[in-house]
Amino acid sequence: EPEVTQTPSHQVTQMGQEVILRCVPISNHLYFYWYRQILGQKVEFLVSFYNNEISEKSEIFDDQFSVERPDGSNFTLKIRSTKLEDSAMYFCASSETSGDTGELFFGEGSRLTVL
Amino acid sequence: GDSVTQMEGPVTLSEEAFLTINCTYTATGYPSLFWYVQYPGEGLQLLLKATKADDKGSNKGFEATYRKETTSFHLEKGSVQVSDSAVYFCALNSNTGRRALTFGSGTRLQVQP
């Protein structure tokens, strides 16, 4: 069964460092998403991406964040200068262009710890 | 704005007990409603959904009915198993052109043998 894969599963970094989280969406999906969950809090939407551009972003997704689809398979989230409050689980998801709205397929998540 | 409120966990039950996890929502328009489940070490998976009022979503013995009058989508299962131990997330899509889901905070269910 096709699945969304994410790497790394866990990354520890120092405050101020750049981090790149990687995702391989399901191959025939065209919408891609990043969500995050700070420990004990809600799963929060960060950004959605379609046709090689951001289609929607939340207020969390400020200038420190960027997304890219550098090739036909990967979808990356970059945090330029990490802060302590960026520590969270980051989930990548993908969905088809047609079909039921809202049926997202999620990866297992990448846990980011900023020290 | 859109929001989803779930009962806090953890919910601890014995095997074969009845499960209810409450979920209420606030949304513009006519949202679609979802329950996602996250088993240990895995990503979120769609458990069930309902796209209009009075619809009942069901899967793996779980059910939830879209109640517009009470803005609720409570998850129920008649007899839980140890394998149901997971975190359950209620979510909505407001169907206003956004494709992003709004999630609740999740409810951890622990089923004891």
Side-chain angles (χ1 to χ4, degrees):
Chain A
E1 184 176 326
E3 59 181 15
V4 176
T5 57
Q6 290 185 238
T7 54
S9 57
H10 187 196
Q11 181 157 357
V12 180
T13 190
Q14 295 291 323
M15 191 169 54
Q17 295 297 303
E18 177 182 282
V19 163
I20 297 176
L21 304 179
R22 292 182 168 81
C23 171
V24 179
I26 294 173
S27 62
N28 64 332
H29 286 183
L30 296 179
Y31 281 87
F32 314 113
Y33 310 82
W34 283 101
Y35 286 78
R36 78 173 186 189
Q37 185 180 29
I38 296 171
L39 187 63
Q41 298 185 24
K42 295 188 175 189
V43 176
E44 301 172 293
F45 168 71
L46 293 179
V47 64
S48 61
F49 192 87
Y50 170 70
N51 199 26
N52 285 319
E53 61 182 23
I54 291 173
S55 52
E56 188 179 354
K57 61 182 181 179
S58 71
E59 60 275 10
I60 303 169
F61 194 86
D62 61 20
D63 291 344
Q64 290 298 311
F65 291 90
S66 63
V67 289
E68 192 177 37
R69 189 156 162 82
D71 53 41
S73 60
N74 288 287
F75 177 52
T76 62
L77 174 69
K78 180 192 291 186
I79 309 174
R80 289 191 181 81
S81 177
T82 51
K83 303 186 285 288
L84 295 176
E85 54 265 37
D86 294 327
S87 295
M89 180 72 87
Y90 289 81
F91 293 104
C92 175
S94 67
S95 65
E96 296 177 279
T97 55
S98 59
D100 295 333
T101 299
E103 186 159 359
L104 273 57
F105 294 80
F106 285 83
E108 294 180 11
S110 294
R111 181 170 298 284
L112 175 64
T113 301
V114 182
L115 302 176
Chain B
D2 299 340
S3 68
V4 175
T5 303
Q6 289 181 239
M7 61 188 290
E8 290 193 21
V11 173
T12 303
L13 295 174
S14 298
E15 210 164 18
E16 299 183 2
F18 184 85
L19 168 71
T20 300
I21 300 178
N22 290 337
C23 171
T24 57
Y25 67 89
T26 303
T28 54
Y30 300 92
S32 296
L33 302 173
F34 306 85
W35 277 100
Y36 278 79
V37 59
Q38 184 180 28
Y39 298 105
E42 300 183 15
L44 282 74
Q45 304 170 24
L46 180 65
L47 179 60
L48 54 84
K49 64 183 179 184
T51 57
K52 61 182 188 298
D54 300 326
D55 270 2
K56 178 185 284 187
S58 61
N59 186 24
K60 299 181 181 180
F62 291 89
E63 292 183 340
T65 301
Y66 188 144
R67 300 285 188 203
K68 192 169 186 296
E69 63 276 14
T70 54
T71 61
S72 65
F73 193 56
H74 304 322
L75 182 68
E76 296 182 336
K77 187 174 185 183
S79 177
V80 294
Q81 305 300 312
V82 173
S83 57
D84 293 326
S85 298
V87 181
Y88 293 82
F89 294 90
C90 187
L92 69 83
N93 183 301
S94 61
N95 290 329
T96 55
R98 300 182 70 228
R99 294 190 72 85
L101 293 176
T102 299
F103 282 89
S105 55
T107 302
R108 181 174 298 278
L109 170 66
Q110 298 173 335
V111 180
Q112 298 176 336

